[in-house]
Amino acid sequence: MRHLLSTAELTRDEAVRILDTAEAMAATQGRSIKKLPTLRGRTVVNLFFEDSTRTRISFEAAAKRLSADVLNFSAKGSSVSKGESLKDTALTLQAMGIDAVVIRHHDSGAPHRLAHSGWIDVPVLNAGDGTHQHPTQALLDAFTLRRHLSADGETPAPEDTALDGASVVIVGDVLHSRVARSNVSLLHTLGARVTVVAPPTLLPVGIEPWPCEVRYDLDEALAEAVPDAVMMLRVQRERMTSAGGFFPSPHEYHRRYGLDGERLARLPERCVVMHPGPMNRGLEISAEAADSPRSTIVEQVGNGVAVRMAALYLLLAGEEGIA
Amino acid sequence: MAGMPTREVLTASDISRSLTRIAHEILERNHGSERVTVLGIPTRGVPLARRIGERLAHTEGGAEIPVGSLDVTMYRDDLRGQPTRTLQRTDLPEPGIDDRIVVLVDDVLYSGRTIRAALDALGDLGRPAAVQLAVLVDRGHRELPIRADFVGKNLPTAATERVDVHLTEIDDVPDAVTISGGEAH
């Protein structure tokens, strides 16, 4: 594997190797000196065509902790706003002698295009493309879940383990969610059982072949799945371009698909609450659920840096990428 | 590889005696085990460190000797141009390495680059009072100004030869050090 574009391309062994490497990275992040010399002299470009604060900062922290130099390129106020194409941007970066590109793009497939076009010959890491994939988010979710399945979430998970037998319920705006797509395939690859719950209007056409169960009723689904984790998706109102029609009102959405205190109390005792952030409190998740001790939302952010360090290490440190 | 067949240069009992001697030399050099922490470099340095730790404890009448492991992969200068290395565990025993006499343990000392990486890794983890190096085999061909304080066996080799250390804990075979390959002497 030379790029990290989609969790659907990852084999089980590759995914487990990324998680194990991330544990090794996480172990270095509790030290007083967090910086490692591993990627000294390498340059990583954060190429962000879409607004993102947390993912960009997380990738930037990961690259810097490995001593890589980081160039931040955001579309706003750049040559892109003057009409430059992805190809010309790529050729420019290649000419500057970069060693990896982290790309976020509003169009699905842009990272794949960048990786396979021949414009550049460095590893490409997808940091989210349109409604397609966000592989490092799914990997950090799997990392967080793997820790909670074996212990309390702070203790490193045993090496060479996956998520076999775990039950995960993913709730909400699946239609617009690259996090959902990435998670469904990765969780399935790692042996977990996945249930997706959403109103029919927020499910994509063609969901049938996905390796998961699809339900419309959250309470029924939670009762049947007996989940180890509930993953709440952000309602992506900025992508809901057609005027309304996805759900009658925020209040009704919250009542039927939001994680409120009552549903939280009915979850199995070991079940954790996950959210990729940023949250719409009061819409898909209540403040009570978001701030409860079961919530792993802040943990997920910390784990994200370790997972991105692992991805950068595996793609950049050796000559071949993931063997 | 053509050339000399595989030959055993250290047997299980040779290895055992070497480790016992190294343990005694460590105690002699440091006037006891009071501040000694033993860190093995993965993979085979880790069980060797454990064995040396046991011998130190035994000789010192059951004193607690902190033993751990130090992965140096992320500090290596030869990561590029090779398949990506899998990261191993770093396990620092209480009470850490500050002001301790850290004895690094590895199986084979060759170019010295692993030890250079280990010294850098230690520097990021704390400030030991002293760092000493124990190796089972010193096969020569140093590329850096590094030497071992405690050596099981000095083994002059040709660069084309291959030295293999087999340890029961890892390889599931009896302990042995073998040399293979290279030109006929």
Side-chain angles (χ1 to χ4, degrees):
Chain A
M1 181 178 117
R2 206 171 125 54
H3 310 283
L4 181 58
L5 301 174
S6 160
T7 54
E9 295 172 354
L10 290 176
T11 65
R12 182 183 164 106
D13 285 349
E14 284 169 342
V16 168
R17 187 166 187 215
I18 296 173
L19 299 183
D20 284 345
T21 306
E23 283 289 3
M25 294 299 178
T28 67
Q29 296 307 295
R31 302 176 184 167
S32 53
I33 298 177
K34 298 180 177 61
K35 204 175 176 80
L36 299 157
T38 319
L39 297 181
R40 206 159 58 90
R42 322 301 285 289
T43 303
V44 176
V45 176
N46 281 332
L47 191 55
F48 277 59
F49 291 90
E50 192 183 83
D51 290 336
S52 157
T53 311
R54 58 180 67 215
T55 304
R56 186 183 58 70
I57 288 181
S58 182
F59 265 110
E60 185 168 345
K64 285 182 170 170
R65 302 262 165 94
L66 290 170
S67 299
D69 293 315
V70 180
L71 302 178
N72 283 309
F73 180 104
S74 68
K76 270 190 191 142
S78 74
S79 45
V80 174
S81 57
K82 297 174 190 159
E84 186 176 71
S85 68
L86 181 60
K87 177 178 179 176
D88 291 325
T89 305
L91 292 174
T92 305
L93 294 173
Q94 173 80 3
M96 288 179 185
I98 52 149
D99 297 293
V101 179
V102 175
I103 178 174
R104 166 164 294 199
H105 204 284
H106 41 76
D107 289 335
S108 301
H112 185 275
R113 182 88 176 110
L114 190 61
H116 297 289
S117 57
W119 302 330
I120 55 170
D121 60 358
V122 298
V124 174
L125 289 90
N126 182 0
D129 60 331
T131 59
H132 176 227
Q133 279 273 335
H134 190 355
T136 55
Q137 177 70 42
L139 285 161
L140 76 88
D141 289 339
F143 179 93
T144 306
L145 182 55
R146 191 172 80 145
R147 281 188 162 191
H148 278 277
L149 290 176
S150 64
D152 55 359
E154 291 189 12
T155 316
E159 269 183 28
D160 211 15
T161 55
L163 303 174
D164 296 297
S167 169
V168 180
V169 176
I170 301 177
V171 190
D173 186 357
V174 179
L175 177 64
H176 301 102
S177 178
R178 52 199 177 207
V179 175
R181 283 167 183 76
S182 305
N183 261 305
V184 168
S185 53
L186 182 65
L187 290 167
H188 173 73
T189 300
L190 290 171
R193 200 170 75 249
V194 185
T195 309
V196 159
V197 188
T201 49
L202 288 177
L203 288 170
V205 174
I207 197 173
E208 296 77 17
W210 290 20
C212 63
E213 234 192 281
V214 178
R215 307 297 299 263
Y216 304 134
D217 187 298
L218 179 56
D219 291 306
E220 269 179 34
L222 289 177
E224 281 170 35
V226 198
D228 297 285
V230 187
M231 218 174 259
M232 305 308 296
L233 300 173
R234 184 170 66 87
V235 176
Q236 302 192 38
R237 285 197 266 194
E238 77 279 11
R239 290 187 208 275
M240 297 183 183
T241 41
S242 57
F246 289 100
F247 47 84
S249 72
H251 181 71
E252 180 164 343
Y253 182 89
H254 183 65
R255 203 155 43 78
R256 296 202 51 191
Y257 295 98
L259 186 62
D260 54 20
E262 207 181 301
R263 290 194 175 106
L264 183 72
R266 283 205 303 270
L267 292 176
E269 201 181 332
R270 62 169 190 283
C271 180
V272 293
V273 174
M274 309 178 83
H275 192 296
M279 287 182 275
N280 297 306
R281 284 175 183 251
L283 188 54
E284 70 267 4
I285 190 165
S286 69
E288 189 180 353
D291 300 329
S292 85
R294 293 157 169 241
S295 154
T296 61
I297 296 162
V298 178
E299 241 172 78
Q300 284 168 267
V301 176
N303 293 342
V305 176
V307 163
R308 288 172 180 125
M309 287 172 77
L312 288 169
Y313 171 78
L314 291 170
L315 290 173
L316 273 167
E319 208 71 346
E320 306 295 326
I322 295 179
Chain B
M1 192 190 269
M4 300 281 287
T6 301
R7 57 201 163 88
E8 185 169 299
V9 287
L10 286 181
T11 64
S13 49
D14 291 335
I15 292 172
S16 173
R17 275 191 294 270
S18 291
L19 294 177
T20 304
R21 177 172 52 74
I22 288 173
H24 280 98
E25 286 174 0
I26 291 171
L27 293 174
E28 198 176 14
R29 165 85 68 93
N30 299 305
H31 310 289
S33 64
E34 206 190 328
R35 289 199 293 161
V36 171
T37 290
V38 187
L39 294 181
I41 298 174
T43 309
R44 287 178 182 71
V46 177
L48 289 174
R50 215 170 288 135
R51 293 190 201 179
I52 289 174
E54 283 162 13
R55 284 164 165 81
L56 291 173
H58 179 74
T59 313
E60 289 288 273
E64 282 275 320
I65 309 292
V67 175
S69 61
L70 178 70
D71 182 47
V72 307
T73 309
M74 286 186 275
Y75 294 84
R76 299 195 73 96
D77 61 6
D78 56 358
L79 290 170
R80 296 177 80 161
Q82 292 197 22
T84 308
R85 286 170 178 265
T86 301
L87 302 182
Q88 309 282 331
R89 283 178 60 93
T90 289
D91 178 19
L92 292 188
E94 286 301 319
I97 61 167
D98 285 337
D99 293 319
R100 303 285 298 179
I101 296 165
V102 173
V103 178
L104 292 173
V105 181
D106 204 358
D107 54 350
V108 179
L109 179 57
Y110 187 24
S111 66
R113 287 178 189 270
T114 302
I115 305 306
R116 199 278 309 156
L119 293 173
D120 284 354
L122 279 181
D124 278 1
L125 289 168
R127 188 180 181 281
V131 182
Q132 298 166 0
L133 175 62
V135 297
L136 184 60
V137 171
D138 182 350
R139 63 167 294 190
H141 304 284
R142 213 75 77 241
E143 293 165 3
L144 295 169
I146 281 170
R147 60 160 180 78
D149 299 85
F150 314 105
V151 180
K153 186 168 177 63
N154 283 299
L155 209 59
T157 57
T160 50
E161 285 173 323
R162 182 189 161 90
V163 176
D164 284 302
V165 174
H166 307 276
L167 297 174
T168 44
E169 294 96 321
I170 287 171
D171 305 294
D172 252 339
V173 294
D175 290 353
V177 176
T178 59
I179 292 191
S180 54
E183 308 298 315
H185 287 285

